[in-house]
Amino acid sequence: MSEACGSPAIVARDVEKAYELGRIRALTGMSLTVEAGEWVAIVGPSGCGKSTLLHLVAALDHVDAGHIHVLGTDLDLVDDAAAYRRRTVGLVFQLHNLLPSLSAVENVEVPMFGTGRPRRERRRQAHVLLERVGLGHRADGRPAELSGGERQRVAIARALANDPRLLLADEPTGSLDSTAGRRVLDVLRELREE
Ligand code: ADP
Ligand code: MG
């Protein structure tokens, strides 16, 4: 995607999003600006539209009205949403969604498939990312052998596989106890500072 120099990371203007033929209005006149380098937490009760907003920014869904620009590009004009996601966004969900039959390092490699990176390079990058989230020593563990907090840190490493410009996390600590949750937030904060 083309990228205007100095554009905010995200600009949302008057966004409307409804489900079920308009019966459920998830977002109404929602506007938001996130500058590059900002770390923003969107807080609100269950059902207030937090996930809906993240899905729109990730181009997993379309606005009904209004506009969302990411790094200067109007998402309405993005015709290859998969390529946009691969290049621009890393996503972390409440449940880690790791593939159970793959080791931690193999899970981190998954988003690099189809990017043309050679196998050795993919593996090397996956190890670097696991080190960054403090799991270099667990690279060969399968998800079932890891703790909940470790699994979520693998999911963060996987989200970073293709050097995304945005990292979107939807309740990334929602299924963790407070200590593991704090560790996940510490990792996210360190990554942002880098
Ligand atoms: P949050 O993440 O803040 O809990 P959501 O964005 O998931 O909120 O949901 C906002 C509203 O939209 C809720 O009323 C929810 O039930 C509804 N909603 C979300 N996704 C769908 C969907 N795919 N189909 C129908 N309704 C949905
Ligand atoms: Mg949600």
Side-chain angles (χ1 to χ4, degrees):
M1 77 194 278
S2 65
E3 184 179 314
C5 213
S7 299
I10 302 169
V11 179
R13 282 282 170 269
D14 304 321
V15 169
E16 307 275 335
K17 180 68 185 176
Y19 298 105
E20 304 198 349
L21 304 171
R23 279 193 294 276
I24 297 173
R25 301 183 72 197
L27 295 173
T28 54
M30 197 279 313
S31 296
L32 166 84
T33 300
V34 178
E35 299 295 341
E38 259 194 296
W39 151 279
V40 175
I42 297 169
V43 180
S46 183
C48 76
K50 305 179 296 292
S51 295
T52 298
L53 171 61
L54 292 188
H55 294 167
L56 294 172
V57 171
L60 289 164
D61 206 346
H62 295 284
V63 298
D64 296 333
H67 290 278
I68 298 180
H69 288 76
V70 173
L71 300 165
T73 295
D74 187 339
L75 294 188
D76 272 346
L77 305 178
V78 169
D79 44 32
D80 187 346
Y84 159 77
R85 274 194 298 280
R86 196 160 54 236
R87 274 188 246 126
T88 310
V89 266
L91 280 164
V92 178
F93 299 98
Q94 178 171 350
L95 295 173
H96 53 80
N97 296 323
L98 299 177
L99 296 171
S101 61
L102 300 184
S103 67
V105 72
E106 289 167 340
N107 266 285
V108 176
E109 278 183 73
V110 166
M112 298 185 233
F113 293 145
T115 59
R117 283 201 220 190
R119 186 179 176 283
R120 283 166 73 103
E121 163 66 15
R122 291 197 309 252
R123 182 56 58 101
R124 198 192 57 76
Q125 168 77 347
H127 278 291
V128 167
L129 290 169
L130 284 176
E131 292 285 346
R132 294 238 316 256
V133 299
L135 286 176
H137 60 300
R138 301 298 275 127
D140 296 324
R142 289 180 200 275
E145 297 157 1
L146 303 175
S147 71
E150 288 173 336
R151 286 196 283 264
Q152 196 59 302
R153 283 186 278 144
V154 175
I156 292 169
R158 177 183 57 180
L160 296 171
N162 294 320
D163 290 322
R165 302 294 308 279
L166 296 182
L167 183 62
L168 304 175
D170 194 351
E171 304 204 35
T173 62
S175 61
L176 303 178
D177 65 45
S178 57
T179 306
R182 210 170 304 120
R183 182 85 182 86
V184 162
L185 288 180
D186 286 344
V187 164
L188 291 172
R189 195 173 297 113
E190 286 160 20
L191 291 166
R192 184 233 148 198
E193 279 161 14
E194 278 177 38

